[in-house]
Amino acid sequence: MSSKQGGKAKPLKQPKVDKKEYDENDLENIKKKREEEKALKELRAKAQKGALGGAGLKKSGKK
């Protein structure tokens, strides 16, 4: 083994990505999708807060 093969390997270079041009319909769809994702995040946050109130599994006490 030569000394050049030791150590960390360099990551492969990624090809450059061209910027996409969007028309009005694409921009509207992207905006709508972001708003839906934001609403879902808010609902999840509210659901998490509600679950912390002690509404978990209850044991019946029977053996």
Side-chain angles (χ1 to χ4, degrees), residues 24-60:
E24 292 177 14
N25 291 334
D26 291 336
L27 292 174
E28 287 179 23
N29 289 337
I30 291 170
K31 186 176 180 182
K32 191 174 187 180
K33 192 173 184 181
R34 286 184 184 162
E35 289 174 359
E36 289 175 358
E37 289 175 2
K38 186 176 179 182
L40 280 174
K41 265 189 179 179
E42 290 174 1
L43 288 174
R44 286 185 187 138
K46 287 181 183 178
Q48 288 274 334
K49 287 182 182 178
L52 294 175
L57 294 174
K58 295 183 180 179
K59 294 186 178 181
S60 65

